[in-house]
PDB file of all heavy atoms in Angstrom:
ATOM      1  N   SER A  31     116.892 188.450  28.522  1.00 40.00           N
ATOM      2  CA  SER A  31     116.779 189.799  29.051  1.00 40.00           C
ATOM      3  C   SER A  31     117.203 190.805  28.007  1.00 40.00           C
ATOM      4  O   SER A  31     118.239 190.653  27.361  1.00 40.00           O
ATOM      5  CB  SER A  31     117.648 189.961  30.305  1.00 40.00           C
ATOM      6  OG  SER A  31     117.627 191.293  30.731  1.00 40.00           O
ATOM      7  N   LEU A  32     116.402 191.842  27.829  1.00 38.00           N
ATOM      8  CA  LEU A  32     116.754 192.947  26.959  1.00 38.00           C
ATOM      9  C   LEU A  32     117.481 194.028  27.739  1.00 38.00           C
ATOM     10  O   LEU A  32     117.994 194.971  27.166  1.00 38.00           O
ATOM     11  CB  LEU A  32     115.493 193.543  26.311  1.00 38.00           C
ATOM     12  CG  LEU A  32     114.629 192.549  25.539  1.00 38.00           C
ATOM     13  CD1 LEU A  32     113.473 193.295  24.905  1.00 38.00           C
ATOM     14  CD2 LEU A  32     115.438 191.817  24.503  1.00 38.00           C
ATOM     15  N   LEU A  33     117.492 193.919  29.033  1.00 38.00           N
ATOM     16  CA  LEU A  33     118.212 194.854  29.888  1.00 38.00           C
ATOM     17  C   LEU A  33     118.911 194.037  30.948  1.00 38.00           C
ATOM     18  O   LEU A  33     118.288 193.522  31.856  1.00 38.00           O
ATOM     19  CB  LEU A  33     117.256 195.861  30.554  1.00 38.00           C
ATOM     20  CG  LEU A  33     117.904 196.870  31.500  1.00 38.00           C
ATOM     21  CD1 LEU A  33     118.825 197.802  30.723  1.00 38.00           C
ATOM     22  CD2 LEU A  33     116.853 197.664  32.247  1.00 38.00           C
ATOM     23  N   ARG A  34     120.225 193.892  30.842  1.00 35.00           N
ATOM     24  CA  ARG A  34     120.961 193.053  31.767  1.00 35.00           C
ATOM     25  C   ARG A  34     121.023 193.722  33.131  1.00 35.00           C
ATOM     26  O   ARG A  34     121.392 194.878  33.260  1.00 35.00           O
ATOM     27  CB  ARG A  34     122.383 192.823  31.245  1.00 35.00           C
ATOM     28  CG  ARG A  34     122.392 192.064  29.916  1.00 35.00           C
ATOM     29  CD  ARG A  34     121.851 190.665  30.095  1.00 35.00           C
ATOM     30  NE  ARG A  34     121.855 189.961  28.833  1.00 35.00           N
ATOM     31  CZ  ARG A  34     121.319 188.781  28.670  1.00 35.00           C
ATOM     32  NH1 ARG A  34     120.728 188.158  29.652  1.00 35.00           N
ATOM     33  NH2 ARG A  34     121.373 188.190  27.497  1.00 35.00           N
ATOM     34  N   ARG A  35     120.686 192.970  34.147  1.00 40.00           N
ATOM     35  CA  ARG A  35     120.708 193.484  35.509  1.00 40.00           C
ATOM     36  C   ARG A  35     121.433 192.495  36.390  1.00 40.00           C
ATOM     37  O   ARG A  35     121.294 191.292  36.243  1.00 40.00           O
ATOM     38  CB  ARG A  35     119.287 193.678  36.065  1.00 40.00           C
ATOM     39  CG  ARG A  35     118.459 194.620  35.256  1.00 40.00           C
ATOM     40  CD  ARG A  35     117.068 194.765  35.848  1.00 40.00           C
ATOM     41  NE  ARG A  35     116.394 193.477  35.858  1.00 40.00           N
ATOM     42  CZ  ARG A  35     116.120 192.790  36.955  1.00 40.00           C
ATOM     43  NH1 ARG A  35     116.469 193.233  38.130  1.00 40.00           N
ATOM     44  NH2 ARG A  35     115.503 191.635  36.887  1.00 40.00           N
ATOM     45  N   GLN A  36     122.174 192.994  37.369  1.00 39.00           N
ATOM     46  CA  GLN A  36     122.853 192.153  38.332  1.00 39.00           C
ATOM     47  C   GLN A  36     121.996 192.049  39.577  1.00 39.00           C
ATOM     48  O   GLN A  36     121.663 193.058  40.200  1.00 39.00           O
ATOM     49  CB  GLN A  36     124.234 192.757  38.693  1.00 39.00           C
ATOM     50  CG  GLN A  36     125.213 192.768  37.524  1.00 39.00           C
ATOM     51  CD  GLN A  36     125.569 191.366  37.081  1.00 39.00           C
ATOM     52  OE1 GLN A  36     125.655 190.454  37.896  1.00 39.00           O
ATOM     53  NE2 GLN A  36     125.782 191.197  35.786  1.00 39.00           N
ATOM     54  N   ARG A  37     121.608 190.835  39.940  1.00 41.00           N
ATOM     55  CA  ARG A  37     120.777 190.619  41.109  1.00 41.00           C
ATOM     56  C   ARG A  37     121.644 190.472  42.354  1.00 41.00           C
ATOM     57  O   ARG A  37     122.649 189.769  42.356  1.00 41.00           O
ATOM     58  CB  ARG A  37     119.927 189.354  40.945  1.00 41.00           C
ATOM     59  CG  ARG A  37     118.918 189.468  39.814  1.00 41.00           C
ATOM     60  CD  ARG A  37     117.876 190.532  40.146  1.00 41.00           C
ATOM     61  NE  ARG A  37     116.899 190.630  39.071  1.00 41.00           N
ATOM     62  CZ  ARG A  37     115.790 189.909  39.052  1.00 41.00           C
ATOM     63  NH1 ARG A  37     115.526 189.051  39.992  1.00 41.00           N
ATOM     64  NH2 ARG A  37     114.935 190.049  38.052  1.00 41.00           N
ATOM     65  N   ARG A  38     121.257 191.117  43.427  1.00 39.00           N
ATOM     66  CA  ARG A  38     121.949 190.950  44.692  1.00 39.00           C
ATOM     67  C   ARG A  38     121.291 189.834  45.464  1.00 39.00           C
ATOM     68  O   ARG A  38     120.107 189.534  45.266  1.00 39.00           O
ATOM     69  CB  ARG A  38     121.862 192.242  45.522  1.00 39.00           C
ATOM     70  CG  ARG A  38     122.508 193.433  44.858  1.00 39.00           C
ATOM     71  CD  ARG A  38     122.601 194.578  45.845  1.00 39.00           C
ATOM     72  NE  ARG A  38     121.313 194.938  46.390  1.00 39.00           N
ATOM     73  CZ  ARG A  38     120.493 195.789  45.803  1.00 39.00           C
ATOM     74  NH1 ARG A  38     120.817 196.310  44.639  1.00 39.00           N
ATOM     75  NH2 ARG A  38     119.337 196.106  46.349  1.00 39.00           N
ATOM     76  N   PRO A  39     121.993 189.200  46.389  1.00 39.00           N
ATOM     77  CA  PRO A  39     121.380 188.161  47.218  1.00 39.00           C
ATOM     78  C   PRO A  39     120.187 188.722  47.967  1.00 39.00           C
ATOM     79  O   PRO A  39     120.197 189.860  48.437  1.00 39.00           O
ATOM     80  CB  PRO A  39     122.513 187.759  48.167  1.00 39.00           C
ATOM     81  CG  PRO A  39     123.759 188.163  47.453  1.00 39.00           C
ATOM     82  CD  PRO A  39     123.414 189.384  46.662  1.00 39.00           C
ATOM     83  N   LYS A  40     119.141 187.913  48.105  1.00 39.00           N
ATOM     84  CA  LYS A  40     117.902 188.372  48.740  1.00 39.00           C
ATOM     85  C   LYS A  40     118.054 188.444  50.255  1.00 39.00           C
ATOM     86  O   LYS A  40     118.588 187.544  50.893  1.00 39.00           O
ATOM     87  CB  LYS A  40     116.765 187.420  48.384  1.00 39.00           C
ATOM     88  CG  LYS A  40     116.486 187.382  46.893  1.00 39.00           C
ATOM     89  CD  LYS A  40     115.350 186.453  46.594  1.00 39.00           C
ATOM     90  CE  LYS A  40     115.096 186.395  45.098  1.00 39.00           C
ATOM     91  NZ  LYS A  40     114.026 185.470  44.770  1.00 39.00           N
ATOM     92  N   ASP A  41     117.596 189.497  50.847  1.00 39.00           N
ATOM     93  CA  ASP A  41     117.562 189.686  52.283  1.00 39.00           C
ATOM     94  C   ASP A  41     116.129 189.550  52.752  1.00 39.00           C
ATOM     95  O   ASP A  41     115.202 190.039  52.129  1.00 39.00           O
ATOM     96  CB  ASP A  41     118.094 191.079  52.670  1.00 39.00           C
ATOM     97  CG  ASP A  41     119.499 191.291  52.147  1.00 39.00           C
ATOM     98  OD1 ASP A  41     120.255 190.333  52.181  1.00 39.00           O
ATOM     99  OD2 ASP A  41     119.806 192.407  51.706  1.00 39.00           O
ATOM    100  N   ILE A  42     116.556 188.463  53.808  1.00 31.00           N
ATOM    101  CA  ILE A  42     115.252 188.237  54.384  1.00 31.00           C
ATOM    102  C   ILE A  42     114.771 189.541  55.188  1.00 31.00           C
ATOM    103  O   ILE A  42     115.363 189.836  56.122  1.00 31.00           O
ATOM    104  CB  ILE A  42     115.287 186.888  55.153  1.00 31.00           C
ATOM    105  CG1 ILE A  42     115.715 185.783  54.209  1.00 31.00           C
ATOM    106  CG2 ILE A  42     114.013 186.637  55.867  1.00 31.00           C
ATOM    107  CD1 ILE A  42     114.872 185.455  53.046  1.00 31.00           C
ATOM    108  N   PRO A  43      94.304 205.227  52.724  1.00 40.00           N
ATOM    109  CA  PRO A  43      93.783 206.542  53.128  1.00 40.00           C
ATOM    110  C   PRO A  43      93.077 207.265  51.993  1.00 40.00           C
ATOM    111  O   PRO A  43      93.497 207.161  50.874  1.00 40.00           O
ATOM    112  CB  PRO A  43      94.900 207.292  53.698  1.00 40.00           C
ATOM    113  CG  PRO A  43      95.983 206.241  53.927  1.00 40.00           C
ATOM    114  CD  PRO A  43      95.561 205.105  53.086  1.00 40.00           C
ATOM    115  N   HIS A  44      92.439 207.844  52.125  1.00 39.00           N
ATOM    116  CA  HIS A  44      91.511 208.276  51.057  1.00 39.00           C
ATOM    117  C   HIS A  44      91.953 209.562  50.356  1.00 39.00           C
ATOM    118  O   HIS A  44      91.364 209.962  49.390  1.00 39.00           O
ATOM    119  CB  HIS A  44      90.087 208.485  51.596  1.00 39.00           C
ATOM    120  CG  HIS A  44      89.521 207.243  52.190  1.00 39.00           C
ATOM    121  ND1 HIS A  44      89.153 206.159  51.429  1.00 39.00           N
ATOM    122  CD2 HIS A  44      89.311 206.890  53.472  1.00 39.00           C
ATOM    123  CE1 HIS A  44      88.701 205.197  52.224  1.00 39.00           C
ATOM    124  NE2 HIS A  44      88.789 205.624  53.449  1.00 39.00           N
ATOM    125  N   ARG A  45      92.946 210.233  50.825  1.00 35.00           N
ATOM    126  CA  ARG A  45      93.323 211.491  50.202  1.00 35.00           C
ATOM    127  C   ARG A  45      93.948 211.296  48.830  1.00 35.00           C
ATOM    128  O   ARG A  45      94.172 212.244  48.096  1.00 35.00           O
ATOM    129  CB  ARG A  45      94.278 212.271  51.104  1.00 35.00           C
ATOM    130  CG  ARG A  45      95.604 211.560  51.383  1.00 35.00           C
ATOM    131  CD  ARG A  45      96.502 212.457  52.220  1.00 35.00           C
ATOM    132  NE  ARG A  45      97.746 211.800  52.571  1.00 35.00           N
ATOM    133  CZ  ARG A  45      97.920 211.019  53.609  1.00 35.00           C
ATOM    134  NH1 ARG A  45      96.887 210.779  54.407  1.00 35.00           N
ATOM    135  NH2 ARG A  45      99.085 210.476  53.877  1.00 35.00           N
ATOM    136  N   TRP A  46      94.254 210.052  48.467  1.00 42.00           N
ATOM    137  CA  TRP A  46      94.846 209.788  47.157  1.00 42.00           C
ATOM    138  C   TRP A  46      93.778 209.651  46.075  1.00 42.00           C
ATOM    139  O   TRP A  46      94.115 209.619  44.906  1.00 42.00           O
ATOM    140  CB  TRP A  46      95.668 208.500  47.205  1.00 42.00           C
ATOM    141  CG  TRP A  46      96.818 208.587  48.143  1.00 42.00           C
ATOM    142  CD1 TRP A  46      97.883 209.434  48.069  1.00 42.00           C
ATOM    143  CD2 TRP A  46      97.010 207.812  49.319  1.00 42.00           C
ATOM    144  NE1 TRP A  46      98.735 209.231  49.112  1.00 42.00           N
ATOM    145  CE2 TRP A  46      98.227 208.240  49.904  1.00 42.00           C
ATOM    146  CE3 TRP A  46      96.289 206.795  49.941  1.00 42.00           C
ATOM    147  CZ2 TRP A  46      98.710 207.674  51.066  1.00 42.00           C
ATOM    148  CZ3 TRP A  46      96.786 206.250  51.088  1.00 42.00           C
ATOM    149  CH2 TRP A  46      97.981 206.692  51.654  1.00 42.00           C
ATOM    150  N   PHE A  47      92.526 209.517  46.455  1.00 41.00           N
ATOM    151  CA  PHE A  47      91.498 209.162  45.475  1.00 41.00           C
ATOM    152  C   PHE A  47      90.700 210.400  45.072  1.00 41.00           C
ATOM    153  O   PHE A  47      90.263 211.177  45.904  1.00 41.00           O
ATOM    154  CB  PHE A  47      90.539 208.120  46.049  1.00 41.00           C
ATOM    155  CG  PHE A  47      91.269 206.967  46.689  1.00 41.00           C
ATOM    156  CD1 PHE A  47      90.875 206.463  47.916  1.00 41.00           C
ATOM    157  CD2 PHE A  47      92.364 206.418  46.061  1.00 41.00           C
ATOM    158  CE1 PHE A  47      91.552 205.420  48.496  1.00 41.00           C
ATOM    159  CE2 PHE A  47      93.044 205.366  46.626  1.00 41.00           C
ATOM    160  CZ  PHE A  47      92.633 204.872  47.852  1.00 41.00           C
ATOM    161  N   ILE A  48      90.525 210.575  43.783  1.00 36.00           N
ATOM    162  CA  ILE A  48      89.724 211.677  43.277  1.00 36.00           C
ATOM    163  C   ILE A  48      88.841 211.158  42.160  1.00 36.00           C
ATOM    164  O   ILE A  48      89.098 210.113  41.575  1.00 36.00           O
ATOM    165  CB  ILE A  48      90.602 212.830  42.725  1.00 36.00           C
ATOM    166  CG1 ILE A  48      91.484 212.299  41.568  1.00 36.00           C
ATOM    167  CG2 ILE A  48      91.446 213.449  43.798  1.00 36.00           C
ATOM    168  CD1 ILE A  48      92.246 213.377  40.854  1.00 36.00           C
ATOM    169  N   SER A  49      87.776 211.890  41.874  1.00 34.00           N
ATOM    170  CA  SER A  49      86.950 211.533  40.731  1.00 34.00           C
ATOM    171  C   SER A  49      87.742 211.838  39.467  1.00 34.00           C
ATOM    172  O   SER A  49      88.266 212.929  39.298  1.00 34.00           O
ATOM    173  CB  SER A  49      85.656 212.340  40.759  1.00 34.00           C
ATOM    174  OG  SER A  49      84.886 212.053  39.644  1.00 34.00           O
ATOM    175  N   SER A  50      87.855 210.858  38.584  1.00 38.00           N
ATOM    176  CA  SER A  50      88.752 211.010  37.440  1.00 38.00           C
ATOM    177  C   SER A  50      88.113 210.452  36.184  1.00 38.00           C
ATOM    178  O   SER A  50      87.297 209.557  36.222  1.00 38.00           O
ATOM    179  CB  SER A  50      90.069 210.280  37.726  1.00 38.00           C
ATOM    180  OG  SER A  50      90.896 210.267  36.592  1.00 38.00           O
ATOM    181  N   THR A  51      88.500 211.023  35.050  1.00 39.00           N
ATOM    182  CA  THR A  51      88.126 210.461  33.763  1.00 39.00           C
ATOM    183  C   THR A  51      89.301 209.685  33.219  1.00 39.00           C
ATOM    184  O   THR A  51      90.428 209.830  33.677  1.00 39.00           O
ATOM    185  CB  THR A  51      87.745 211.585  32.775  1.00 39.00           C
ATOM    186  OG1 THR A  51      88.844 212.497  32.692  1.00 39.00           O
ATOM    187  CG2 THR A  51      86.506 212.314  33.223  1.00 39.00           C
ATOM    188  N   SER A  52      89.044 208.855  32.217  1.00 42.00           N
ATOM    189  CA  SER A  52      90.131 208.059  31.657  1.00 42.00           C
ATOM    190  C   SER A  52      90.735 208.776  30.464  1.00 42.00           C
ATOM    191  O   SER A  52      90.101 209.610  29.824  1.00 42.00           O
ATOM    192  CB  SER A  52      89.614 206.693  31.220  1.00 42.00           C
ATOM    193  OG  SER A  52      88.819 206.832  30.070  1.00 42.00           O
ATOM    194  N   PHE A  53      91.970 208.437  30.156  1.00 44.00           N
ATOM    195  CA  PHE A  53      92.659 209.005  29.022  1.00 44.00           C
ATOM    196  C   PHE A  53      92.810 207.947  27.953  1.00 44.00           C
ATOM    197  O   PHE A  53      93.176 206.817  28.241  1.00 44.00           O
ATOM    198  CB  PHE A  53      94.037 209.531  29.436  1.00 44.00           C
ATOM    199  CG  PHE A  53      93.975 210.605  30.470  1.00 44.00           C
ATOM    200  CD1 PHE A  53      94.629 210.453  31.680  1.00 44.00           C
ATOM    201  CD2 PHE A  53      93.257 211.756  30.241  1.00 44.00           C
ATOM    202  CE1 PHE A  53      94.577 211.442  32.637  1.00 44.00           C
ATOM    203  CE2 PHE A  53      93.195 212.750  31.194  1.00 44.00           C
ATOM    204  CZ  PHE A  53      93.869 212.598  32.398  1.00 44.00           C
TER     205      PHE A  53
END
Side-chain angles (χ1 to χ4, degrees):
S31 175
L32 304 183
L33 179 66
R34 297 295 180 187
R35 301 180 299 110
Q36 294 295 326
R37 295 294 181 90
R38 298 190 303 274
K40 298 181 181 178
D41 303 322
I42 303 297
H44 300 289
R45 62 177 177 274
W46 297 298
F47 311 136
I48 60 173
S49 177
S50 173
T51 56
S52 72
F53 299 122

